[in-house]
Amino acid sequence: MSENQKEVRVRFAPSPTGRLHLGGGRTALYNYLLVKKMGGKFILRIEDTDQKRYVETAEQEIIDGLHWLGIDWDEGPDKGGPYGPYRQSQRKEIYQRYAEQLIDQGDAFYCFCSTDRLSEMKRLQQQRKEFPHYDGLCRDIPVEEARKRIAAGESYVIRFKTPKEGTTTVRDLLRGEITVENKTIDDYIIVKSDGWALYHLAAMVDDHLMKISHVIRGSEWIPTLPLHHLILKAFGWDEPVWIHLSVFLKPSGKGKMSKRESADLIKDGYSIFLTDLKDLGYVDEAVTNWIALMGWSYDDRTEIFNMSQLIDAFSLEHLNPSPAAINFTKLDYFNGVHIRMLEIDDLAQRIQPYFEADGYTADLDTLKKITPIIQERIAGLDEAPKIAGFFFEKEVHPKLEDLVQKGLDAAQCADIATKSYQILSALPVIDKDHGEPEMRALVEELALKPAQVFGVLRVAVTGQKISPPLFESMEIIGQDVVLERIKNAEKMLKAA
Ligand code: GLU
């Protein structure tokens, strides 16, 4: 198999240090789309070597978030596979072995500098307005001597020995060639004093051993890309295709969103965290569609995609490296569109938990009847109980001020209620074909506006000024209950 016919093998490599956000979701999605389009394998690798930042619940939340988006993998900690373990915390010896290899080759060195010395060095560099970098004190300690010091119990880290002359050029698929002078690349730490490899070594070793063909990752790794290139070169390993995605900017387009700003979003009903978006009433299809288009486009027209359409349409060439402003208005729009595309039974099932969250016991049979009349009217699943919760109330409690319509007094509205009762109780059924013509005749007879007459009826029956279509709603509620509610409203109005 020649170089460009290599099997596509990609990985999503989250660190379980926090919640899965849009950026992570998008990286995972593009990896997934590439593999589904080209055929190949998608690997989930958990990069959990940072004990200090480890968050117990993070891994499960990441997995749930990926599954919610419809993303699944072929190899991973939960699935196994030929190149495991897929959890970096179980690969410590592998990294140590490769770190030793670099030392033996002269491409890495043991460094014994104390943190005090390093901070003093940094301070002086700042004073001299130099870029902070390791000054090379331990670079040339003979390996034998260093190993003796280690055996005697001295604490150390391992640093990569970056060449100090010449330049390094790496090619990113979206950005073309990136060239830097080697003297600007620091002697980065690759193994910490606790013996754990850092990302720069661990990820390169894993990507090689796991035969990763394309590395699609965040643009925060561009500054250390030349280092990664040099590490691969030192081992004599092939390089993957590098793809560094665009950054996300705040909705205003001005700068990146801070942690604080991200947390504050929830007050406006938005979030950058995937599991929050689910709770906020977004359907996964909308979120997937939305994040897919934050850094990729098919053409300048088509914007509604489901997952299989995304797979068909996806290509790396159409990824866009320019920063993308987070646009929640667009998300709301996609949510409405995807909600309207759902099958009734599917939508009924999806809104059920939102009714429950709002305290209603909502059975699926009734929900299936309600769904067709609210599907066009909700922009989020969470809105369903807000406009249709009354279907599950034994009684409604209309406000007097809502029952009294604009331009009328309570007595006139009581009269509307009385007459509506007479009309609707005389019908064999109330539904979208029975009741409306008779009620329209009443509007004529009373020489009132339709909004006034239907307003009384709507508030009486639903308890709300805004509701799904009235006659369809009354059909679901049932004639007896409808009549009882009109009676109650009539009483309230008469007593006013
Ligand atoms: N663990 C790294 C992170 O979460 C992975 C970066 C990569 O995809 O290589 O940022």
Side-chain angles (χ1 to χ4, degrees):
M1 218 185 247
S2 83
E3 182 64 31
N4 21 0
Q5 288 170 325
K6 263 208 260 174
E7 186 194 19
V8 173
R9 288 182 55 85
V10 297
R11 86 293 192 279
F12 178 55
S15 302
T17 52
R19 309 177 60 194
L20 185 62
H21 52 69
L22 299 177
R26 185 187 62 171
T27 303
L29 179 64
Y30 290 160
N31 274 293
Y32 179 76
L33 293 176
L34 180 68
V35 144
K36 291 290 151 190
K37 170 100 192 190
M38 307 292 291
K41 293 282 185 289
F42 184 16
I43 288 103
L44 176 68
R45 183 170 76 220
I46 301 294
E47 302 205 327
D48 56 348
T49 55
D50 192 340
Q51 318 283 320
K52 282 200 214 92
R53 294 178 58 222
Y54 182 79
V55 176
E56 182 89 36
T57 51
E59 182 176 327
Q60 194 54 48
E61 188 173 329
I62 291 168
I63 289 179
D64 292 346
L66 294 175
H67 280 152
W68 183 59
L69 289 181
I71 296 175
D72 204 2
W73 41 94
D74 305 290
E75 298 167 28
D78 52 340
K79 299 231 159 120
Y83 304 99
Y86 294 93
R87 202 186 289 286
Q88 287 191 330
S89 58
Q90 295 166 352
R91 300 172 64 83
K92 193 172 185 180
E93 290 74 33
I94 301 177
Y95 309 131
Q96 274 166 345
R97 209 164 64 230
Y98 283 101
E100 292 294 320
Q101 183 184 329
L102 288 180
I103 300 255
D104 291 341
Q105 290 174 193
D107 287 313
F109 60 95
Y110 296 110
C111 172
F112 301 94
C113 292
S114 66
T115 34
D116 285 351
R117 173 173 190 273
L118 293 173
S119 28
E120 177 60 8
M121 179 187 83
K122 200 166 158 196
R123 195 185 63 78
L124 292 173
Q125 286 170 349
Q126 272 165 355
Q127 222 171 46
R128 295 195 296 266
K129 305 232 176 325
E130 283 173 18
F131 207 57
H133 63 280
Y134 180 63
D135 63 2
L137 184 71
C138 298
R139 248 175 97 102
D140 298 316
I141 300 176
V143 180
E144 282 321 305
E145 183 188 326
R147 289 203 165 121
K148 273 190 204 133
R149 287 171 69 172
I150 292 167
E154 236 182 288
S155 161
Y156 67 96
V157 298
I158 300 178
R159 290 179 183 271
F160 187 69
K161 198 183 261 185
T162 311
K164 293 297 165 206
E165 266 140 42
T167 58
T168 293
T169 298
V170 202
R171 208 184 129 66
D172 170 273
L173 190 75
L174 311 184
R175 294 153 211 269
E177 285 189 348
I178 299 171
T179 300
V180 295
E181 296 211 34
N182 289 341
K183 63 170 183 277
T184 65
I185 310 174
D186 204 358
D187 289 339
Y188 282 92
I189 298 178
I190 53 175
V191 177
K192 290 183 290 174
S193 57
D194 59 10
W196 280 104
L198 280 173
Y199 174 83
H200 308 307
L201 177 67
M204 296 314 111
V205 167
D206 288 348
D207 287 347
H208 169 71
L209 295 178
M210 296 177 185
K211 298 198 167 25
I212 300 303
S213 61
H214 297 69
V215 169
I216 304 179
R217 61 182 182 179
S219 58
E220 67 273 23
W221 298 107
I222 295 175
T224 45
L225 175 61
L227 169 73
H228 300 154
H229 169 92
L230 290 172
I231 292 177
L232 294 177
K233 195 167 145 199
F235 283 117
W237 294 338
D238 284 347
E239 222 163 320
V241 178
W242 297 109
I243 296 144
H244 292 87
L245 300 173
S246 58
V247 262
F248 285 138
L249 303 178
K250 354 179 162 188
S252 64
K254 296 192 188 103
K256 289 213 257 175
M257 186 135 15
S258 70
K259 272 216 161 118
R260 173 73 193 273
E261 287 166 321
S262 309
D264 276 356
L265 275 176
I266 203 92
K267 290 185 209 136
D268 301 322
Y270 295 121
S271 178
I272 61 159
F273 298 108
L274 291 174
T275 43
D276 283 351
L277 290 175
K278 181 179 181 185
D279 295 342
L280 289 167
Y282 292 98
V283 292
D284 55 296
E285 291 88 342
V287 176
T288 305
N289 193 159
W290 180 54
I291 59 180
L293 293 181
M294 290 166 88
W296 171 84
S297 59
Y298 179 61
D299 53 25
D300 45 18
R301 280 165 294 123
T302 325
E303 38 172 32
I304 304 301
F305 294 91
N306 62 25
M307 187 65 105
S308 72
Q309 292 163 333
L310 281 174
I311 293 169
D312 283 346
F314 188 73
S315 72
L316 291 173
E317 286 68 33
H318 282 142
L319 287 173
N320 184 348
S322 318
I326 301 173
N327 183 344
F328 287 110
T329 316
K330 196 96 204 178
L331 173 61
D332 285 331
Y333 163 70
F334 283 143
N335 207 35
V337 171
H338 282 280
I339 284 177
R340 288 194 285 283
M341 291 192 326
L342 294 176
E343 301 285 337
I344 296 300
D345 285 7
D346 185 7
L347 180 54
Q349 279 179 19
R350 295 204 211 192
I351 55 180
Q352 195 174 34
Y354 295 85
F355 279 88
E356 269 152 28
D358 278 10
Y360 299 105
T361 312
D363 63 286
L364 209 51
D365 283 344
T366 312
L367 283 172
K368 284 182 191 168
K369 291 185 201 149
I370 295 167
T371 302
I373 60 171
I374 64 169
Q375 185 165 27
E376 295 286 328
R377 290 176 172 75
I378 52 172
L381 300 178
D382 60 319
E383 288 176 16
K386 311 277 181 288
I387 70 160
F390 68 88
F391 284 108
F392 302 97
E393 306 268 21
K394 277 211 177 54
E395 289 168 10
V396 289
H397 304 280
K399 289 196 205 111
L400 182 66
E401 76 240 40
D402 291 345
L403 281 169
V404 178
Q405 302 301 303
K406 213 166 155 205
L408 303 178
D409 60 23
Q412 287 169 296
C413 293
D415 186 43
I416 294 174
T418 311
K419 296 207 161 81
S420 303
Y421 186 93
Q422 285 161 2
I423 292 171
L424 297 176
S425 60
L427 293 171
V429 283
I430 310 172
D431 61 23
K432 70 177 189 342
D433 304 318
H434 299 86
E436 186 162 357
E438 293 80 355
M439 287 300 298
R440 295 228 172 250
L442 178 65
V443 173
E444 295 282 309
E445 182 195 317
L446 299 175
L448 292 173
K449 293 190 188 120
Q452 294 172 314
V453 172
F454 292 117
V456 174
L457 196 53
R458 184 184 310 279
V459 176
V461 173
T462 69
Q464 303 172 179
K465 282 164 58 170
I466 297 169
S467 79
L470 188 53
F471 288 88
E472 278 102 321
S473 298
M474 291 199 286
E475 180 182 356
I476 296 167
I477 294 168
Q479 196 168 16
D480 292 350
V481 177
V482 165
L483 292 173
E484 192 185 302
R485 290 183 182 180
I486 298 173
K487 261 273 164 290
N488 283 340
E490 185 194 9
K491 264 191 227 146
M492 271 177 82
L493 288 160
K494 281 193 173 151

